[in-house]
Structures are given as structure tokens and as C-alpha cells.
Amino acid sequence: MTVRLGLSLPQMRQYDLGRDVPDVARAAEQTGYESLWVFERVLFPEPASQGLYGIPGLPWPDQYRSVADPLVTLTLAAAATERARLGTSVLIAPLHVPFQLARSLASLDAASGGRVIAGLGTGWSLDEYAAAAVAPFEQRGKVLDELLDVCRAVWGPDPVAYEGELTTIAPSEVGPKPARPIPVLLPANSPRALRRLVDRADGWMPVGMGAEKLAEQWRQLRELAEERGREAPFENVLRVNTQHTAKTYEGQDRLPFQGSVAQIVEDLAAHAEVGVGEILLDLQGRARDAEELKDLAAEVYEAARAAGI
């Protein structure tokens, strides 16, 4: 049942970006974590137009008041490590100019020796869209589709040429190129998103909200892949948020991955049984500083491996 384990880097307000990101990245790699991850939040609205994740009345975590830029954070980690894969979970596609994001990811992959994983999504915050999006919220799917097109073009052979609604690239040389094809992972929270994932992505990036729910989503994804004739296997990375909200979901007594280290490991085991290849642990919200985060990450890793995960 052994799965790869990854760790989210310290981006929240209680951490020192320049000091703590390289420190935690090095420690995580030495502990045995095989990947390092970043997420994206660009502002903390007061008052917010929506609750957290778009759920009415659910407050945003206080740590979201300051979240470091994901690609700056990942670049700091890349410079401090040698082996760990470097992933985004996720970058909100419509908050980025497609051509520029494709180039940034390619440069980071080239600089890190081929370690980047591009987790991309469409987001949910209307306030973030109002401040930073390249297109209205209602066009978020189209923007993600164009970003996928632009990435494939920019990462591919020269001359690069593309024409879309947001992007026009005259035949050009565009470099540096990635060290290898960058895997693209997508969430899948709707039928259209599922089809996009099956048809266009290298892998799936679900969120741990209960082993039974994960198993059902995984079944639906495999069935759709068979229906649409996909033969390539899916890479999958399960995101585990250990302390963002206490909200429970239908049929659950509690939200998974809350509570003690023992409880987190028990939930990890249940989710690993579904068949995921990698689990990303976001522990940063549970720690007061980088030293506490490093200790907690080591404790969870050792407990998970001792449990056969």
C-alpha cells in the first residue's frame, strides 16, 4: 500500500518566506518526502463575496490573509533541493496570462532538472477574479482550455505558433524548453471537468473528503476514460488539507484529516486503499512556525510509513 508522500511548503502569514521555505524544503526532502507543493490565494477580501470554497457562511482561514506567490515559493524550494518533485496544487488558470505562465513553468522545470508538476484549476473566489482574472468568472473553463493549448505549444518544438481568444503567438522560438514533458494534473468537480481531464490531462488531483467519496470519484473517472477510449494511465495526487475548516460533509461525522497525528494517519490509510499513487499533506495551517512544521511533518511521515502507507 506504500504511496509517495508530498508536503506543502510554508506560504502562510506565520512564516518567513525567504528563510522558512528553503529550510522546510530541505528538511522535507531529507525526511523522505518525494514532492513539495504550493497553492494559490491572491487576496483576503473583507468582507468576502463568498464563504470559503464558495460555501455560504464558511469563513476564510485567518492564515489566508497573506499567502506567498506560488511560483516564487516553488523557485526557492527548487534552489534548496535536489530530488523532490515541485508541484502546484493548484494554480488558478484565469489569474494568469497563459503565455507568461507557460514560460515560467518551462523555465522552472529547466532550472530544476525536470521536477515540475503543473496542477491547474479554475478557482472559486469571485473577489480574486475581480482583482486579477484575464477573463470573467463565467469563462473560466475556456481560459483553462486555452492555457492547456498554450502550454503544449510553448513547451513543444520551435517554431511555436498559436492563435486563441486571449493569446496570439506568431511563429517564434520560445525558450527555455522544459527538461522533459511537464505533467499536467487537473481537478474534476463537474462532468465537463471530468471530460477535460480524461481527454487532455496527464493526471487527476482530487481533495481528500472521505475514502468512500474518493473511491466513487475514481470509479467514475475510470469508467469515463474507458468510454472515451483513453489508454494512457492517470497519475493521481490526493490533496489532504489537515486544518482549514471544521465543516463536515453529507454522511460524515467529521471532516477527514483533522485531529491527532494518529487520526490523520488512520485517514491516510483509508484513502490510500482506494489506489492513489501520491498523497500531498498540507500541514502548514497546524503549525505556528517553521520549526513546529518540520517536527510535525517528520512525525506524520514516520507514523505513516510505520503504518505501511
Side-chain angles (χ1 to χ4, degrees), residues 172-188:
S172 306
E173 292 188 16
V174 181
K177 300 298 184 184
R180 90 306 188 209
I182 297 175
V184 173
L185 276 59
L186 301 175

Side-chain angles (χ1 to χ4, degrees), residues 175-211:
K177 300 298 184 184
R180 90 306 188 209
I182 297 175
V184 173
L185 276 59
L186 301 175
N189 301 316
S190 69
R192 182 176 179 181
L194 268 172
R195 291 191 297 271
R196 179 187 292 115
L197 194 161
V198 167
D199 294 344
R200 310 204 58 196
D202 300 295
W204 179 39
M205 184 159 277
V207 176
M209 295 186 295

Side-chain angles (χ1 to χ4, degrees), residues 72-247:
V72 171
T73 303
L74 215 55
T75 300
L76 289 168
T81 57
E82 297 178 354
R83 302 177 304 279
R85 300 199 302 169
L86 306 163
T88 62
S89 176
V90 294
L91 295 179
I92 303 169
L95 305 187
H96 298 269
V97 174
F99 180 76
Q100 292 177 345
L101 180 58
R103 288 199 67 244
S104 294
L105 290 169
S107 295
L108 181 57
D109 192 72
S112 65
R115 293 192 279 151
V116 170
I117 311 162
L120 305 172
T122 56
W124 50 267
S125 170
L126 299 178
D127 293 298
E128 290 184 332
Y129 269 75
V134 298
F137 185 77
E138 293 74 20
Q139 298 178 24
R140 60 196 182 279
K142 289 183 178 181
V143 177
L144 177 55
D145 285 332
E146 181 157 324
L147 175 59
L148 294 173
D149 289 339
V150 171
C151 284
R152 297 304 185 198
V154 169
W155 299 343
D158 292 324
V160 173
Y162 179 81
E163 185 168 353
E165 293 189 19
L166 296 170
T167 310
T168 299
I169 308 172
S172 306
E173 292 188 16
V174 181
K177 300 298 184 184
R180 90 306 188 209
I182 297 175
V184 173
L185 276 59
L186 301 175
N189 301 316
S190 69
R192 182 176 179 181
L194 268 172
R195 291 191 297 271
R196 179 187 292 115
L197 194 161
V198 167
D199 294 344
R200 310 204 58 196
D202 300 295
W204 179 39
M205 184 159 277
V207 176
M209 295 186 295
E212 291 185 6
K213 183 171 184 178
L214 178 67
E216 175 61 19
Q217 292 174 326
W218 185 219
R219 181 191 64 77
Q220 292 174 357
L221 183 57
R222 294 198 308 272
E223 288 180 353
L224 183 62
E226 183 176 357
E227 175 185 318
R228 297 179 76 83
R230 174 173 175 140
E231 297 180 358
F234 289 102
E235 181 172 353
N236 49 62
V237 180
L238 174 70
R239 181 180 181 89
V240 167
N241 297 319
T242 63
Q243 189 170 328
H244 288 325
T245 171
K247 180 178 175 62

